[in-house]
Amino acid sequence: MCCCAITCVKCFLILFDIVFFCTGVLLLGVGIHVLVGVVNGTYASLIGGVSYIYIAYALLIIAFIIILVALVGCCAGVSENKCLLVTFYFLVVFCICLEVSIVIIAFVGLWYEDDYVKAYILQGSKKEMANYGHPEREGFTAAWDRIQIDEQCCGVEAPSDWYEYGRFDSADTPDSCCRVVSKGCGMALDEIWKESCGDAMVGTVNSGLYLIGVICIACILLQLLLIIFILAMYYILKFGHGKNRCCGTSYYDMD
């Protein structure tokens, strides 16, 4: 049992460090999921002006940093090395600063006034419509087909977007715009959906930003607890000279 003060603190430090490590692994999985999603074609890949493949890489880098920091923390806790504890402390503080900046960016994007973010997303998406059907952008084409079928919509703000921004004639749209999808049905304008897909795109971004913000806040709270135990263990190792009684029977040598 964790009877001694040093042993109790050590146990909790290692416990929270394991949870910290697990968050890094979870974040790694999220990054891989985003990366695979962009390649295979998800709603996120439709949004111009936001390179989601770079966001995926950023998530992977942050995940690797957290995993490495957690491994340093495990070594510091097991070895009870003051130098490693100090290193672990500053690395955790660095992670917190990084996550605070991400939270600020995420929630500023959610609550920005005057619909600036929405207008930016819609305009960027229109510019990307010309890539529909391009041989090297199969994932992008599949994503457009998926959102138009799933959300029963057509175009960013109207079906005419395909003529204005895409590579279609004025009386033509992708077949995925049709109420009943069949080859060549996109040329019959009375058979296509009239609703816009813009709200689904904006909703995808808002959901992603909210999820990222919540995950980062949870990680920050976890890391604040981790810092408490880092400082507690460092204090005991540095100032707990002599021998401390454990459970009233045995002793733990602090020297």
Side-chain angles (χ1 to χ4, degrees):
M1 295 179 63
C2 301
C3 298
C4 307
I6 183 66
T7 311
C8 285
V9 172
K10 181 177 178 178
C11 286
F12 279 108
L13 175 62
I14 294 175
L15 173 64
F16 279 105
D17 187 59
I18 291 172
V19 178
F20 184 47
F21 177 84
C22 292
T23 61
V25 174
L26 177 63
L27 199 59
L28 182 66
V30 172
I32 294 173
H33 175 74
V34 173
L35 185 62
V36 172
V38 171
V39 173
N40 290 340
T42 61
Y43 295 179
S45 64
L46 304 178
I47 302 168
V50 181
S51 184
Y52 277 80
I53 196 163
Y54 293 125
I55 293 177
Y57 287 143
L59 288 174
L60 293 176
I61 291 171
I62 294 171
F64 279 120
I65 291 174
I66 290 176
I67 290 172
L68 291 175
V69 172
L71 292 175
V72 171
C74 183
C75 294
V78 172
S79 65
E80 300 176 14
N81 185 289
K82 288 183 287 186
C83 183
L84 276 177
L85 280 173
V86 172
T87 303
F88 184 39
Y89 169 81
F90 283 108
L91 288 173
V92 173
V93 170
F94 170 75
C95 289
I96 290 176
C97 293
L98 187 64
E99 288 157 3
V100 167
S101 65
I102 293 174
V103 169
I104 293 173
I105 293 171
F107 286 106
V108 165
L110 280 172
W111 294 320
Y112 202 97
E113 296 180 356
D114 300 327
D115 291 331
Y116 172 81
V117 175
K118 180 178 180 180
Y120 178 80
I121 292 171
L122 296 182
Q123 190 60 35
S125 299
K126 290 177 181 178
K127 292 179 180 178
E128 290 290 314
M129 294 178 77
N131 292 315
Y132 182 90
H134 195 283
E136 296 180 0
R137 298 292 299 274
E138 292 182 359
F140 178 82
T141 302
W144 258 117
D145 289 338
R146 184 180 304 173
I147 191 174
Q148 292 187 142
I149 292 172
D150 292 348
E151 303 295 334
Q152 298 181 346
C153 59
C154 186
V156 177
E157 291 187 287
S160 59
D161 290 338
W162 287 111
Y163 166 67
E164 295 178 15
Y165 301 97
R167 296 185 295 175
F168 288 82
D169 296 330
S170 58
D172 194 8
T173 61
D175 293 341
S176 55
C177 281
C178 300
R179 290 182 170 87
V180 179
V181 179
S182 61
K183 186 174 180 59
C185 66
M187 298 182 67
L189 296 182
D190 56 335
E191 298 295 329
I192 65 174
W193 300 107
K194 305 301 182 183
E195 293 77 10
S196 69
C197 300
D199 289 339
M201 295 177 180
V202 174
T204 298
V205 174
N206 288 344
S207 298
L209 291 174
Y210 183 79
L211 179 62
I212 291 171
V214 169
I215 291 175
C216 286
I217 289 174
C219 289
I220 289 168
L221 294 176
L222 170 66
Q223 289 159 29
L224 289 174
L225 289 173
L226 194 57
I227 282 179
I228 291 173
F229 289 106
I230 293 172
L231 294 175
M233 188 168 183
Y234 181 82
Y235 179 85
I236 294 173
L237 290 174
K238 185 172 180 64
F239 301 106
H241 302 296
K243 294 183 177 181
N244 289 349
R245 185 175 295 276
C246 298
C247 299
T249 55
S250 58
Y251 294 87
Y252 190 95
D253 191 355
M254 301 298 298
D255 296 330

